[in-house]
């Protein structure tokens, strides 16, 4: 399945502030054979984390998790 993940999908998977939406987002990302994430989404993503001032290490870990597709999406949700 091809997926274009916008900021909302990334945030739902990462922040997991709504258990149902987080599960859907993680499942969608985990099932993706090919995933596209726009530069805009990557730029917006860390800015919306709770208390997200200068968390470059967490952002880098989240991007690495996305690159690892299925297993990474589960890591992303557990961050």
């Amino acid at each position: 399945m091809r997926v274009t993940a916008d900021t909302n999908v990334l945030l739902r998977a990462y922040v997991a502030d709504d258990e149902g939406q987080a599960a859907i987002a993680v499942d969608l990302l985990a099932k993706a054979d090919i995933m596209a994430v726009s530069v805009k989404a990557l730029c917006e993503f860390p800015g919306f984390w709770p208390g997200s001032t200068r968390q470059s290490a967490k952002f880098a870990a989240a991007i690495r998790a996305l690159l690892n597709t299925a297993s990474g999406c589960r890591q992303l949700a557990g961050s």
Side-chain angles (χ1 to χ4, degrees), residues 34-47:
I34 297 173
M35 185 184 336
V37 180
S38 71
V39 172
K40 180 181 178 188
L42 287 175
C43 290
E44 290 176 343
F45 178 48

Side-chain angles (χ1 to χ4, degrees), residues 9-75:
V9 172
L10 299 176
L11 286 171
R12 291 302 134 235
Y14 184 80
V15 176
D17 56 347
D18 180 299
E19 191 175 305
Q21 289 181 359
I24 292 167
V26 169
D27 187 55
L28 175 71
L29 295 173
K31 288 180 178 176
D33 295 317
I34 297 173
M35 185 184 336
V37 180
S38 71
V39 172
K40 180 181 178 188
L42 287 175
C43 290
E44 290 176 343
F45 178 48
F48 287 102
W49 294 348
S52 66
T53 56
R54 299 185 185 230
Q55 296 186 31
S56 59
K58 284 180 102 177
F59 178 63
I63 297 307
R64 282 189 206 97
L66 283 171
L67 292 172
N68 290 327
T69 60
S71 63
C73 290
R74 287 187 258 301
Q75 289 175 353

